[in-house]
Structures are given as C-alpha cells and as structure tokens.
Amino acid sequence: MKHTIHSAIVNFIWGIADDVLRDVYVRSKYRDVILPMVVLRRLEAVLEPRKDEVRKRKKAFDRAGMTNQDEGLREAARVPFYNISEFSLRDLRSRAKRQQLEADFRDYLNGFSTNVQEILDKFKFRNQIPTLIEADILGHLIDKFFDSKINLSPEPVLDREGKEILPALDNHAMGTIFEELIRRFSEENNEEAGEHFTPRDVVTLMADLIFLPIAEQIESGTYLVYDGACGTGGMLTVAEERLMELAQDHEKIVSIHLYGQEVQPETYAIAKADLLLKGAGGGADNLQYGSTLSNDCFPSQNFDFMLSNPPYGKSWKTDLERLGGKKDIRDSRFALQHGGDPEYKMLTRSSDGQLMFLVNKLSKMKWETKLGSRIAEVHNGSSLFTGDAGQGESNIRRWIIENDWLEAIVALPENIFYNTGIATYIWVLANRKSEERKGKVQLIDASSWFEPLRKNLGKKNCQLSQEHIEKICWLMLHPEETEESKLFANEAFGYWKVAVERPLRLAVDLSSRRLRQFDEICQAAKEESLVKLARQVAEELGPWVHKDFNAVMDVFGLVAKKEEIKLIDKRKKLLQGRLAEADETAAPVIKKIHKPGKVKPNPLYGLFEAEVKGKVCTVEYEPDTNLRDSEQVPLLEEGGIEAFFQGEVLPYLPDAWIDESKTQVGYEISFTRHFYKPAPMRTLEEIKADIYALERETEGLLEEIVGEAEQ
C-alpha cells in the first residue's frame, strides 16, 4: 500500500513539470525548478505547526538584542531548520500581481535558516524566479504543490469528522520519494547521470560487501560512514539503511552518522536536501561542499565505513596544482614513507584521479577499534594496471597490497552504469582482515551475472538481481576457489622491474672521408685543434675503421698530452659523436676500471673481468641506451631475479647485465590473465566438414568458369 501511495505522489509531482513548465523550460531543466520546490513544500509542511512559535521567539530575541539566534530558533522549530518570514508558502498562492508575488516569494526564501539557504544557493533556485515570474507560472506552480490529491506533510489529512483522507508522510518515505524523483531526472538526462547517480543495485552490493563480512561483530554504539565523492548522497543513505537493518537483526542499538563531500553545487544541494527531508539535520550539517582532493573538509576525522564511486578518466590537474604540484606536494595523505623511501609519493597522472580518492579514504581509517575500517570503491580497469613500477598508480597498489588492506576486487558486468559501458570493478579494503584472509586477495568475476533491462537507461542495459548480489556476497563470506572466485597471495600481483643493459660497442672511423667531414664540423665548432689531433692518431693507427674504442681513445690521450691539447669532456663527446658509431662486432666501451683485487667480478650486475694494459681487472662497461630494455620478474619467481635472468635473458643476450640501481617494485592486477577462458578448439570432424563443403563450392565455381570459357 505504501509503495502505491509513494508512486502516486512521485507521478503527481512528475506531472507538475509537464503541466506547468512545458514551453517555458526544456525537459533537461525541469529538475532545476521541481527539486527545490519539493524541498520547499516539505520543509513548509514540517515547519507549519510551529511557525507561530518561531516568529514569537524571533521577536523576543530581537527585543533582547541577541545576535546568535540560530540554536534557539531551531529549538523553537523542534527541527534543525526554520523560517522567520512573515509569509508561508501557502499564503503566496493568492498573490495576484506578479511584482508582489516576486517580492513576497523572495522574502519567504530569505527567511530560512542558513542550512536551507545553502541548499537554495547551490540549486541556484533564485536564478529561476525571473523566468517563473515573466512566464506568470510561479503562482500556478506553488498552487500545484498544495493540490488535495497529495500530502507531503508528516501529519495526515483529515476530513471534518476526523477521518483520514491522506496518510502522513514520514521522513523516510519523503526521502524515498525525493530519491525516486532524482533517479527519474537523472535518467532523463543520461549524459550526466553517471556523474551524480550510482545505480541502486550497485550501491546495494557495495553496502553488503562492507557490512556482511562483519555483521556478527557489530556492537551497540556509534558508527561513522563517509563518502568523499557523495554525489546525491544515495550511497550514504543506502549504507545507513543496511547497517541499521543488520544491527536490528542482531539486536544491537546503533547510532549512525553520515559524512560526505561533493564538488558539484547542484548535486551537493540535492544530497543535503535529501538528508534534511529525511529528518537527518545533523547528517545534513556533515555534508560539505568542495573538492575532496585539494580541500579535504575532514582532515582529522576517521571513519568506520567508507563508500564511493569517484569520477574516473577525469582530470584532477587543478587539484594537483592547488596542492603544490607533483614536486612540491606536502599533503600527508599523498606523501609518506613506504618501502624504505622517505618521500613515497602516490600521485597518479593528472588526467585521471580516481585512485587519489581511494588514498584519501585509506588516510581516514580507524586503527584503535575492533572492526577498524572497511571500504568499498568503484573503479574502472585502469586502476588495476595503469602505471609502471615506481609510478603513482603502481605505488598506490603496492602501498595497499603490501600493507595487506586489499580484501577483494569484484568485476561487474559491462553496461551496468548510466554513462559508461566499460568494465568496472568494486575494490573492497579493510585494515582488520579475518585470519583466513590475511596475506591474500580474492578476485571475483561477476561480469556475466546480470539480468537485462526491458528498456535501456542511458548506457545501462542490465542490472544485478538480488540473487546475483547474494551470490557475490556468498563468495565474499566463503572465500574459496571456484570458476568465478580465485584467491592469491599478496605477492602474486607484485614484480621487480629490472633494467637490462648491454654494452655500448663503438667502432672509430679514421678514414680520410670521415676526417674531412670531421674537419668541417670542428671548424664550425671552433675546435680546430681536434682536427690536427685526429689526423695524427690516424697516421699512427691507420686510416681505417678501428673496432676497439678504448684503445683508440688511449692513443688520443697520449697524442693530446704530447701536443698539449686538453681533452675536456666536451671534446671527448665531439670525438665520440663524430668519429665513432655503434658496431655490434666492436669491443665494449669501458666506463670504469677497478683496481685489481678491489672489486670482484659479477657479470650479472655489470662487473666484468677484462685485461687492461696487460693487467686483469674488474671493469664496468658503458651501457648502450639504444639497447636498454626491461624485464618484469614476478616477486614469487623461484630463485628471484638472478634465477630469472640466468634462465630467461642470458641464454639469448650473453653480454647483458642488470643495473641494480634501477630495479623497482611494481604491482598490477590482471583479471584477464586469471579468468581468461579460451574458445574451445574445433573438432577434426568439424574442420573436415568445412573443407569438403569448400571443395564442393570450388568445384562448382570451376565448372562455371570453364563452361563460360568454352562458350
């Protein structure tokens, strides 16, 4: 019965837009008028019984010269908002003149408390007044909201005999109706829906993923729930309802406080209004406006549960600049110590800041409580694998996994969101893992679990049924290996990125043709002395190509000393750049020579044994940057880097070595690798049948061709 009444109210309000706003507003702008009007009508209905008391209290405060009246006026209203205007919304229906209606309506709006003023400002509702007045529809619009067919009041409508005509609308029901209107408007404006509105089925799953695993451990007490990209607030309210339901099931009494931050003004207004309409005045005060990344409104607050669907594929360059830029960022959320690095920065590329929202949440975890903190956040695929070892995205994954906070990642069906058809994933994190989950990560592939919608909503063409949600949650509660669920050691996602170097091999061309070219270059560079030097070396060694760069440079050094020519680095580079060229048959170029016996040879790490001027020494070769490569060595590789290198690299590149100073640790997660299902191979009988069919077609074609030729 309640559902029928709620639907009737939603349909009636939806109809107001078509009745009153058509031909004045385009459909995509209906929400700009209807949503704030719903808020005003509900607030009016809640305030009506105490309106006179609030006015009296206001006059008394004014006579007493009180400046801080807010708390007292809220007390008089008995709700966390009030209106001190001499007008009520009901009074304004009878205003005939446009000018008088506009003036009185503005006075009415200005009478609301500051929390309602903020909602109206973010809605930019006052900007609509000139249009409504000019079209002469404001009075008609107000009148529609007082139609006898609907009741938006928390009190029932009674007839003269005291019999109920229309039932009361409690705060929860009003919030449900408001959310349904938001959903409909979001679906009408599909290109924006995903930015503000996460589908109910996905939100329900996220709430269950963070609450069900610890449902048995919920105790009576206070819990804080946070969303740093709260949109219209639906994720917070669904989480509150689910947590309250589980607490009641376990006979616990809980107090739940909601916190959120949102950067889009209208969306923020909707979220705040929704909480006010549900009677959650304190919760509405805990919603803050601004960018979470560059202006954290809860810097010292920690939360029990956190959920978000942050924007992905969206630039956060402006936030990054406000934080000081990549080089000067000092925000403790994003610059900390980890893995022996005292300035371990976790900054993603400026074109996509989705993982930054997750880092923000992790900085707000509780550590002193039994349950700690649990997090669910939606990401697209780039958060799984974008970013090389040492880069921001990989550093974030490493920090999370090496701290053993990642519980599971659930792959959702494609086309389950309104504004994107790409693959999406729910990350589930906790800092109090159960014993069976410690040191492990669960991947759940739910991409094929969905039911189609009868009508597409933007790009959303499917949804999760309650059965699908329960199936996913069952796998979370019973982490075991199935076709759709796999468990991995944390280290399974990590790797060493190893820099593979090969020696620079240079041949020196002292031919007359090359020396003539060298002469022209030196003349232009005003290094004429080098021409004389090069010709003397060519006379001594011979005017041809020499394949031992080290020996040639030794001779250059001796001749230069004799001629009193200083071979500074600039001149050495000119000689190398203009007379030498890469030659894989030439001897390696020596970068450094260690005294005999001081350093032991270790070819694996670039320390080679070589004879230099008649002495056996340990040498380091100059690496050829054009031949430089890298290898990813799994952290779980048996024998580690050395075993991998000896087995997978040296057999093919015997002169290669590892530059240990460049080795970095990276992390990436590949669903495709772990859940890929190759298409079954065709049987021999099927292949044979195709071949025979093709032969028959070919024979018929040949007969046609031959027949035409004979004619």
Side-chain angles (χ1 to χ4, degrees):
M1 183 64 181
K2 280 187 177 181
H3 178 72
T4 304
I5 294 170
H6 296 171
S7 296
I9 294 174
V10 170
N11 291 335
F12 185 88
I13 295 173
W14 190 256
I16 293 175
D18 277 334
D19 289 346
V20 181
L21 303 184
R22 182 182 292 176
D23 300 328
V24 179
Y25 288 85
V26 295
R27 291 186 67 85
S28 62
K29 296 296 182 181
Y30 285 180
R31 63 186 288 157
D32 298 348
V33 175
I34 296 300
L35 291 180
M37 280 301 300
V38 171
V39 173
L40 290 174
R41 178 64 188 100
R42 173 62 177 187
L43 298 184
E44 165 92 357
V46 172
L47 293 172
E48 202 165 26
R50 304 283 297 175
K51 179 80 171 176
D52 291 340
E53 178 61 31
V54 171
R55 287 174 181 164
K56 289 178 184 177
R57 187 76 61 94
K58 168 64 176 168
K59 290 176 182 177
F61 287 162
D62 288 344
R63 286 194 299 269
M66 289 183 60
T67 54
N68 188 5
Q69 302 179 3
D70 185 75
E71 187 175 342
L73 293 174
R74 289 190 185 201
E75 183 183 323
R78 296 184 183 174
V79 286
F81 52 89
Y82 52 85
N83 189 310
I84 57 173
S85 170
E86 292 298 317
F87 301 104
S88 68
L89 197 60
R90 187 184 297 273
D91 298 334
L92 300 177
R93 296 182 300 162
S94 60
R95 294 295 187 272
K97 292 183 179 180
R98 299 185 195 179
Q99 294 86 347
Q100 190 62 48
L101 176 57
E102 179 177 2
D104 293 349
F105 188 61
R106 288 187 183 276
D107 182 90
Y108 170 74
L109 296 181
N110 294 337
F112 276 106
S113 51
T114 54
N115 50 359
V116 178
Q117 293 295 340
E118 186 183 20
I119 292 171
L120 296 174
D121 290 344
K122 293 298 187 293
F123 269 130
K124 298 179 180 176
F125 183 56
R126 288 181 176 85
N127 294 353
Q128 308 303 326
I129 297 175
T131 302
L132 296 171
I133 291 294
E134 185 179 341
D136 197 18
I137 58 174
L138 178 57
H140 187 35
L141 178 66
I142 295 172
D143 196 52
K144 280 284 187 180
F145 277 91
F146 285 89
D147 193 288
S148 60
K149 297 186 185 69
I150 63 166
N151 179 30
L152 298 183
S153 169
E155 300 296 331
V157 176
L158 307 176
D159 62 16
R160 292 179 180 178
E161 299 176 356
K163 185 178 179 181
E164 184 176 279
I165 302 173
L166 294 173
L169 199 64
D170 62 28
N171 289 328
H172 180 78
M174 185 65 237
T176 302
I177 289 169
F178 195 65
E179 284 183 7
E180 176 65 13
L181 287 169
I182 295 167
R183 184 186 67 79
R184 287 201 188 182
F185 280 122
S186 295
E187 290 168 6
E188 281 282 309
N189 198 12
N190 286 318
E191 70 275 8
E192 295 180 2
E195 293 184 15
H196 315 308
F197 195 79
T198 305
R200 188 88 174 188
D201 51 335
V202 176
V203 178
T204 300
L205 172 61
M206 293 172 70
D208 280 354
L209 289 174
I210 61 171
F211 293 137
L212 288 180
I214 49 87
E216 300 290 334
Q217 303 172 54
I218 294 174
E219 299 291 344
S220 295
T222 300
Y223 294 93
L224 308 185
V225 183
Y226 168 74
D227 183 349
C230 69
T232 55
M235 204 169 283
L236 286 172
T237 54
V238 169
E240 179 184 33
E241 291 169 6
R242 191 67 175 112
L243 179 55
M244 187 66 72
E245 179 185 349
L246 288 171
Q248 290 172 352
D249 289 346
H250 292 80
E251 299 182 342
K252 304 297 181 182
I253 300 174
V254 297
S255 174
I256 303 169
H257 299 279
L258 306 180
Y259 293 78
Q261 189 164 345
E262 172 57 32
V263 71
Q264 295 291 338
E266 186 209 35
T267 312
Y268 166 74
I270 291 172
K272 197 148 189 166
D274 191 27
L275 288 179
L276 272 182
L277 296 181
K278 289 174 178 172
D285 290 340
N286 290 333
L287 286 187
Q288 296 293 322
Y289 174 69
S291 173
T292 295
L293 299 186
S294 61
N295 182 28
D296 180 14
C297 291
F298 308 101
S300 59
Q301 186 67 270
N302 303 109
F303 303 98
D304 301 282
F305 304 104
M306 295 175 258
L307 311 87
S308 273
N309 176 16
Y312 29 85
K314 188 174 181 180
S315 172
W316 71 291
K317 186 177 181 181
T318 301
D319 287 304
L320 182 57
E321 290 171 353
R322 288 173 181 165
L323 287 166
K326 283 198 172 184
K327 292 183 179 179
D328 297 317
I329 193 166
R330 293 291 180 266
D331 193 307
S332 60
R333 293 175 295 169
F334 310 128
L336 42 79
Q337 293 189 21
H338 183 73
D341 185 348
E343 295 184 357
Y344 188 84
K345 292 184 179 178
M346 296 179 290
L347 302 176
T348 65
R349 60 204 65 202
S350 61
S351 59
D352 188 355
Q354 58 181 305
L355 275 172
M356 304 305 293
F357 284 87
L358 184 55
V359 174
N360 169 67
K361 284 186 182 61
L362 291 166
S363 73
K364 299 181 182 303
M365 292 189 294
K366 284 189 173 182
W367 294 96
E368 72 284 357
T369 60
K370 181 181 177 182
L371 292 181
S373 296
R374 293 185 61 78
I375 298 170
E377 188 162 293
V378 179
H379 290 273
N380 67 8
S382 69
S383 291
L384 299 172
F385 49 76
T386 299
D388 205 349
Q391 294 181 338
E393 293 87 351
S394 179
N395 275 357
I396 292 170
R397 291 189 292 268
R398 178 186 176 187
W399 177 62
I400 289 170
I401 295 173
E402 289 186 354
N403 278 299
D404 199 20
W405 294 331
L406 183 59
E407 267 195 355
I409 299 178
V410 180
L412 297 174
E414 294 182 357
N415 299 303
I416 201 166
F417 283 86
Y418 296 107
N419 68 337
T420 179
I422 63 175
T424 49
Y425 304 81
I426 298 175
W427 291 48
V428 183
L429 303 95
N431 61 348
R432 291 282 189 275
K433 279 188 175 182
S434 64
E435 284 300 321
E436 63 182 344
R437 284 191 173 277
K438 286 183 177 178
K440 299 175 184 176
V441 174
Q442 182 181 16
L443 300 184
I444 299 174
D445 181 13
S447 59
S448 61
W449 297 347
F450 60 86
E451 60 182 22
L453 296 177
R454 284 179 292 182
K455 179 184 177 183
N456 287 8
L457 302 175
K459 293 186 179 180
K460 182 177 175 66
N461 64 10
C462 63
Q463 65 182 5
L464 297 169
S465 67
Q466 185 57 38
E467 182 183 351
H468 295 136
I469 292 172
E470 291 173 359
K471 196 173 180 182
I472 295 167
C473 291
W474 191 92
L475 289 172
M476 273 291 292
L477 295 172
H478 305 85
E480 58 185 44
E481 295 276 344
T482 69
E483 272 195 36
E484 295 85 10
S485 168
K486 298 186 184 298
L487 292 165
F488 301 90
N490 288 343
E491 296 81 7
F493 304 108
Y495 63 90
W496 291 288
K497 183 187 177 184
V498 177
V500 179
E501 303 283 13
R502 295 182 64 194
L504 178 64
R505 298 175 183 271
L506 295 177
V508 182
D509 187 354
L510 297 178
S511 66
S512 57
R513 181 183 62 83
R514 179 60 69 89
L515 289 179
R516 283 195 300 273
Q517 295 173 349
F518 187 62
D519 188 353
E520 293 174 4
I521 292 166
C522 289
Q523 293 293 338
K526 296 182 180 180
E527 291 285 357
E528 293 86 349
S529 60
L530 286 183
V531 178
K532 179 182 177 183
L533 181 62
R535 292 191 181 280
Q536 288 188 30
V537 172
E539 287 178 8
E540 186 168 333
L541 295 178
W544 51 75
V545 175
H546 298 267
K547 297 200 174 185
D548 190 337
F549 178 82
N550 309 295
V552 173
M553 290 307 293
D554 285 344
V555 174
F556 264 99
L558 292 172
V559 174
K561 186 176 182 180
K562 180 180 177 183
E563 296 294 328
E564 296 183 347
I565 299 173
K566 292 184 178 180
L567 274 184
I568 59 177
D569 287 344
K570 178 184 175 183
R571 289 173 175 173
K572 287 180 180 178
K573 288 180 180 178
L574 189 59
L575 288 170
Q576 179 176 326
R578 298 302 179 178
L579 294 179
E581 56 187 27
D583 185 337
E584 62 181 12
T585 64
V589 175
I590 295 175
K591 176 183 179 182
K592 185 175 182 180
I593 302 172
H594 297 277
K595 291 181 180 179
K598 288 288 184 179
V599 178
K600 293 182 179 180
N602 187 347
L604 198 64
Y605 292 100
L607 298 170
F608 297 91
E609 187 176 78
E611 186 175 324
V612 180
K613 297 178 181 178
K615 294 181 180 179
V616 176
C617 305
T618 300
V619 301
E620 296 179 39
Y621 294 133
E622 191 74 44
D624 188 337
T625 57
N626 291 323
L627 298 178
R628 181 174 292 155
D629 201 358
S630 64
E631 292 285 348
Q632 285 191 5
V633 183
L635 295 184
L636 295 178
E637 178 76 20
E638 188 174 350
I641 293 174
E642 293 190 7
F644 177 89
F645 202 76
Q646 289 173 346
E648 302 295 332
V649 177
L650 291 181
Y652 311 101
L653 302 171
D655 62 351
W657 74 89
I658 299 169
D659 184 346
E660 200 171 13
S661 68
K662 291 186 176 73
T663 299
Q664 292 183 302
V665 176
Y667 278 78
E668 64 180 22
I669 302 166
S670 173
F671 265 77
T672 304
R673 183 189 310 153
H674 301 305
F675 292 99
Y676 174 70
K677 296 175 183 177
M681 294 183 66
R682 299 168 66 208
T683 64
L684 288 175
E685 287 73 18
E686 290 173 330
I687 296 171
K688 283 166 62 177
D690 283 350
I691 292 173
Y692 291 148
L694 188 61
E695 283 182 350
R696 288 193 294 272
E697 289 178 17
T698 305
E699 286 173 2
L701 182 62
L702 285 173
E703 288 177 4
E704 287 182 25
I705 294 172
V706 171
E708 289 177 2
E710 289 176 348
Q711 290 175 5

